[in-house]
Amino acid sequence: MDKTRYDEARAGQDAARVEDFKEWLDGYQGEAAEIVERRERLAMMRTWQTKITPTLTGMPRPPTTVNRGLENRFDSVDRAAQSLQRAVEVHKQTEAAIRGIIDTLQSEKMRRIMRLRYLDGLEWSEITRQCYQDKPDFTEKVAAYQRRTYRDHARALKLCAREWWRTTV
């Protein structure tokens, strides 16, 4: 295989790895949003639970459909809390793996861009501002610094995807 064909094959392989890596990162960010929603739902369930608990006297009652319905709702709150806890643990493990991959980057600027984008979930304009606002010409050359951010991100993403592929596959 001549050099150009080898380079084209490698570029295609890198692009596929980057896409797979980006899907994994997007999944992590989706998990974070889902955890926030589940926490809110659990808080509402607990609020509902505390509203009806004071009316229960604790006295023995014959089993009725109303009592079983309340018991089922209390059980569902417990199940929701346990499920949320498991999801949070998995999310923390994924975050640790992402941090480990990002930490393999040699450039501090690239590490910072990747952390701000994928762990903190910031938008590109905010990432650019945080990375380059200390430059004296930042306000005049925002677009140039934005392009630099995109270039550094693309390089970092490619390197992280290689590391991810090497360590997970």
Side-chain angles (χ1 to χ4, degrees):
M1 181 183 277
D2 64 3
K3 173 114 173 79
T4 55
R5 281 195 171 167
Y6 173 79
D7 290 342
E8 288 172 2
R10 177 151 185 177
Q13 188 179 44
D14 281 346
R17 288 177 180 171
V18 166
E19 284 305 310
D20 290 345
F21 183 64
K22 282 174 65 175
E23 283 181 28
W24 184 60
L25 291 172
D26 289 342
Y28 167 79
Q29 290 177 321
E31 286 173 2
E34 183 180 331
I35 286 172
V36 168
E37 289 173 9
R38 289 171 73 178
R39 281 186 175 140
E40 291 170 357
R41 196 172 323 120
L42 182 61
M44 286 184 351
M45 292 170 78
R46 286 188 171 146
T47 300
W48 178 85
Q49 185 179 33
T50 58
K51 285 182 181 177
I52 59 169
T53 303
T55 63
L56 300 177
T57 63
M59 297 297 292
R61 294 184 180 165
T64 65
T65 23
V66 174
N67 291 345
R68 275 189 241 117
L70 291 176
E71 289 171 2
N72 289 340
R73 287 192 181 199
F74 289 134
D75 289 344
S76 69
V77 171
D78 293 339
R79 283 193 307 272
Q82 291 169 356
S83 175
L84 175 60
Q85 184 59 37
R86 285 190 301 273
V88 167
E89 289 170 11
V90 168
H91 187 69
K92 285 180 181 179
Q93 291 171 355
T94 305
E95 181 177 337
I98 291 170
R99 284 187 188 281
I101 290 170
I102 290 173
D103 288 344
T104 64
L105 295 170
Q106 292 180 354
S107 166
E108 173 57 35
K109 185 71 69 184
M110 287 183 185
R111 286 193 302 270
R112 187 170 188 200
I113 290 169
M114 294 296 283
R115 281 189 204 111
L116 291 172
R117 181 68 180 169
Y118 296 106
L119 297 176
D120 297 342
L122 297 182
E123 296 295 325
W124 290 113
S125 57
E126 182 62 20
I127 294 169
T128 302
R129 191 185 66 71
Q130 286 199 23
C131 289
Y132 297 106
Q133 71 181 358
D134 59 334
K135 302 288 184 185
D137 60 348
F138 177 73
T139 54
E140 294 86 34
K141 297 184 178 180
V142 172
Y145 286 114
Q146 188 83 44
R147 286 190 300 275
R148 184 182 294 181
T149 301
Y150 293 149
R151 271 195 312 272
D152 288 344
H153 172 260
R155 287 186 200 117
L157 199 58
K158 191 174 186 179
L159 293 170
C160 285
R162 283 184 190 162
E163 179 64 20
W164 175 71
W165 190 263
R166 188 183 68 73
T167 58
T168 59
V169 176

